[in-house]
């Protein structure tokens, strides 16, 4: 018996975006590991430097669940890069404050992240680079701006 193959009518956008995202994340992880950071640690440091933000706000910005965020902040605290402090706006809330050492490392990690992005984009001709970034921004701000929560697949009863 021969399997019937389906004919695609559109490029496999999911594969292309997943593959490029995966490889970019692995390159980023390797580059940041050289200075002792993870991508999540970099994300928390950079966003915490931008404004007074709570752990929950930083988790949302970095697309992290609560457990991952706690582990990340614990690691930053242990390394002396950040600390939990009471919020000036709400005494019940705790913000993540970056230490001077953390700020220095965030500046270095930003250079590293920019370098990884530049290397990826630099592998394309300039006109295509600009087109890609513009097109991705249009998707992020438009059609793909909202996450759709899907119900988990159910297993058939046995």
């Amino acid at each position: 018996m021969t399997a019937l193959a389906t004919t695609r009518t559109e490029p496999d956008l999911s594969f292309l975006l997943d593959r490029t995202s995966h490889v970019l994340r692995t390159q980023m992880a390797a580059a940041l590991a050289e200075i002792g950071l993870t991508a999540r640690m970099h994300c928390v440091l950079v966003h915490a430097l931008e404004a007074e933000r709570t752990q929950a706000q930083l988790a949302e910005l970095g697309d992290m669940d609560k457990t991952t965020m706690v582990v990340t902040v614990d690691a930053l605290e242990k390394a002396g890069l950040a600390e939990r402090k009471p919020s000036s706006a709400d005494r019940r809330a705790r913000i993540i404050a970056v230490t001077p050492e953390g700020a220095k490392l965030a500046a270095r990690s930003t250079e590293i992240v920019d370098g990884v992005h530049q290397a990826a984009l630099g592998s394309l001709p300039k006109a295509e680079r600009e087109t890609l970034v513009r097109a991705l921004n249009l998707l992020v701000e438009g059609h793909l701006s909202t996450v759709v929560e899907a119900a988990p697949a159910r297993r058939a009863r046995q």
Side-chain angles (χ1 to χ4, degrees):
M1 182 185 306
T2 310
L4 299 176
T6 59
T7 303
R8 297 200 68 104
T9 58
E10 296 293 328
D12 190 345
L13 187 58
S14 294
F15 168 77
L16 294 171
L17 291 172
D18 283 346
R19 178 68 183 167
T20 55
S21 178
H22 172 72
V23 172
L24 190 62
R25 280 192 316 271
T26 61
Q27 290 176 355
M28 190 76 64
L32 288 171
E34 292 181 15
I35 62 167
L37 288 184
T38 66
R40 289 182 178 126
M41 292 166 87
H42 164 77
C43 180
V44 170
L45 289 173
V46 169
H47 289 301
L49 282 168
E50 292 171 343
E52 183 175 290
R53 292 192 167 116
T54 65
Q55 197 164 289
Q57 290 169 327
L58 290 168
E60 186 175 334
L61 282 170
D63 195 26
M64 290 180 245
D65 61 45
K66 290 177 185 177
T67 303
T68 301
M69 185 63 188
V70 168
V71 169
T72 302
V73 174
D74 286 349
L76 289 169
E77 277 190 316
K78 185 176 181 182
L81 304 174
E83 55 192 2
R84 293 171 173 97
K85 290 186 169 183
S87 167
S88 63
D90 179 356
R91 285 186 284 153
R92 298 168 296 170
R94 312 267 303 157
I95 60 139
I96 306 306
V98 179
T99 66
E101 184 181 339
K104 286 181 200 168
L105 201 56
R108 178 69 185 111
S109 67
T110 298
E111 291 172 0
I112 290 169
V113 167
D114 288 350
V116 171
H117 291 156
Q118 175 55 40
L121 290 172
S123 69
L124 299 172
K126 186 175 181 185
E128 292 192 28
R129 200 179 316 163
E130 292 168 358
T131 301
L132 173 66
V133 172
R134 189 171 43 255
L136 289 172
N137 276 310
L138 286 171
L139 285 172
V140 166
E141 295 166 3
H143 184 74
L144 299 179
S145 65
T146 305
V147 174
V148 176
E149 298 296 333
R154 293 178 55 157
R155 294 190 311 177
R157 292 188 179 184
Q158 296 180 9

